[in-house]
Amino acid sequence: MSVTIDIPPLWCPLELRVRDGVEEFDARSHAWLERHGLDERSLLRATATDTGFLACSWAPDGTREGVQLLSDWLVWALLFDDYYCDAGELSDQPGPFNTLIAEMMARAMYPELGRTGRTGDTAFDAFASSLADIVTRIHTLADPQLAHLCSLAHYRWAVGAMCGVSDRAAGTLRTASQHLLVRAADGADCLSAHMIEVAEGTALPASERITPEVRALSQAAGILLTVPTDLASYTRESHQECLESNVVQILGVEYACSSEEAVSRSCSLLESVMEFFVAMRSKLQHSGSTELHRYADQMANLVRGTYEWQRFLPRYTTALDVPVAGRPAAVVKPARALHEITDTPNQKRAEKDPAIAWWWELL
């Protein structure tokens, strides 16, 4: 993978906390995938995801069972994305893809289908079986309302994935404003936040979850969860020829600028979002309830854990879809960090994008 960009240090003034047991959670997730019959290609890709670390940094206060569930769901989600969304046979065919993903997401609402509704498609049935297991475990661990939110949030994720496949099929490029709305959905932002609550045994009351302030904080966290990975995965997505949903490509076309300038604009955008997130988190923690204080911390862990996770992620440095001498490519750990993290903002602030301009009225 030869197309690269230089990523400057990314501003993230949030504390990194990591639960013990990263390697053990990773190993158990891999064994869990094997039990559900995922194919060899997916199992190889699983070794490049490091979801044990991601789960331990997202939910440092989680229970052993909860963090394992989070790690299992994370690796399942990344492998499903790899198999069907980014470079799969249906990744540029909205018609069959939309039906397939709707059928898969139905397993989140009706896990019984994953156990009994075999289709004969070995890959689909393996993903369906493992998803049914995840949803069943969610209902065992979580508050019933939160468990139901987890099931519903799969559909928001599906809509985001559908947008990516449609863009690829039509050869269209979304605007930056559209990307801020679509990318977070495609990255399962709401579901990720809910899964942290499940892992740590908490549930923010609905009366607080629906306030404008909390919705803005959550939306900002979702953007900071997903858009920074566009920078880290630029080389991989260039190699896969799927840059139509990458912020660097989007800004480069929108402003008719070089990739270097597009990276700078991307970092400025991220710093504006981070500035808002930090300010709103402080506001909510100053005046909010204990539950809201905990939720704000969880969103900070979501963001900080992701920034750290992507820095040394083999998923972004290994061309696993290209065999070497007839054999699967080996997983390659980055020789150095893909970017550094700084406590000091270093970019000129971007103008407030229309998609998120309403946030600042709340401050």
Side-chain angles (χ1 to χ4, degrees):
M1 298 192 294
S2 59
V3 178
T4 61
I5 56 173
D6 291 324
I7 308 173
L10 299 184
W11 178 45
C12 188
L14 306 171
E15 178 188 4
L16 176 67
R17 299 176 56 220
V18 184
R19 190 190 194 280
D20 292 337
V22 168
E23 293 79 9
E24 289 82 358
F25 287 115
D26 253 335
R28 285 192 290 267
S29 287
H30 193 89
W32 172 79
L33 293 170
E34 288 187 304
R35 289 197 300 273
H36 283 278
L38 267 75
D39 64 290
E40 183 179 355
R41 174 175 173 266
S42 294
L43 292 175
L44 176 62
R45 287 174 179 271
T47 65
T49 61
D50 290 356
T51 58
F53 176 86
L54 196 56
C56 286
S57 59
W58 278 13
D61 298 316
T63 65
R64 181 177 181 274
E65 188 176 10
V67 174
Q68 189 64 60
L69 172 60
L70 180 56
S71 178
D72 293 351
W73 172 74
L74 282 165
V75 73
W76 181 92
L78 290 169
L79 295 182
F80 182 87
D81 186 64
D82 284 341
Y83 195 95
Y84 289 108
C85 306
D86 286 344
E89 293 180 359
L90 304 182
S91 61
D92 60 356
Q93 300 182 50
F97 176 84
N98 291 352
T99 300
L100 180 141
I101 198 171
E103 287 187 292
M104 182 61 70
M105 297 304 107
R107 271 66 180 174
M109 287 296 296
Y110 317 109
E112 295 81 2
L113 285 172
R115 295 191 292 270
T116 63
R118 298 287 174 172
T119 67
D121 180 330
T122 303
F124 183 94
D125 289 341
F127 278 107
S129 171
S130 42
L131 177 58
D133 178 70
I134 287 169
V135 173
T136 299
R137 290 156 64 193
I138 289 172
H139 280 272
T140 299
L141 291 179
D143 170 88
Q145 289 187 340
L146 177 59
H148 190 57
L149 284 177
C150 286
S151 293
L152 292 174
H154 279 80
Y155 287 86
R156 171 175 164 81
W157 175 27
V159 170
M162 290 173 179
C163 288
V165 171
S166 296
D167 288 342
R168 195 171 302 122
T172 56
L173 195 69
R174 63 187 69 143
T175 66
S177 290
Q178 291 169 337
H179 191 60
L180 290 177
L181 298 175
V182 174
R183 181 67 183 91
D186 186 26
D189 59 336
C190 290
L191 183 50
S192 296
H194 296 332
M195 289 298 294
I196 293 174
E197 293 182 274
V198 174
E200 295 195 335
T202 66
L204 186 66
S207 59
E208 294 187 290
R209 197 185 296 277
I210 64 171
T211 65
E213 290 79 6
V214 173
R215 287 188 288 109
L217 181 82
S218 300
Q219 187 182 16
I223 291 171
L224 294 171
L225 160 69
T226 55
V227 176
T229 66
D230 288 355
L231 296 170
S233 65
Y234 181 87
T235 297
R236 175 177 183 264
E237 291 176 0
S238 176
H239 170 76
Q240 293 179 323
E241 298 182 346
C242 60
L243 284 172
E244 61 281 330
S245 56
N246 188 287
V247 70
V248 177
Q249 178 78 354
I250 289 167
L251 292 177
V253 171
E254 188 164 318
Y255 290 96
C257 62
S258 66
S259 60
E260 181 181 0
E261 174 63 21
V263 169
S264 179
R265 287 181 177 273
S266 300
C267 292
S268 293
L269 173 62
L270 288 171
E271 289 202 356
S272 292
V273 176
M274 182 68 75
E275 185 177 51
F276 171 81
F277 178 85
V278 170
M280 180 54 74
R281 180 190 179 206
S282 177
K283 176 181 177 179
L284 292 176
Q285 290 184 319
H286 178 73
S287 59
S289 65
T290 300
E291 291 88 350
L292 187 52
H293 193 288
R294 178 67 175 273
Y295 180 79
D297 282 346
Q298 289 170 334
M299 294 304 94
N301 292 333
L302 172 73
V303 172
R304 183 63 179 89
T306 304
Y307 270 60
E308 189 68 27
W309 169 73
Q310 70 180 32
R311 296 175 65 229
F312 292 97
L313 189 61
R315 174 181 170 85
Y316 294 150
T317 54
T318 303
L320 289 171
D321 51 338
V322 179
V324 176
R327 305 179 65 180
V331 173
V332 179
K333 280 271 190 182
R336 59 184 179 85
L338 297 178
H339 63 81
E340 299 302 326
I341 293 176
T342 178
D343 293 331
T344 305
N346 53 23
Q347 295 287 330
K348 180 181 177 182
R349 290 294 182 271
E351 293 183 10
K352 296 177 176 61
D353 191 277
I356 57 176
W358 65 277
W359 292 352
W360 279 268
E361 299 174 6
L362 303 173
L363 294 175

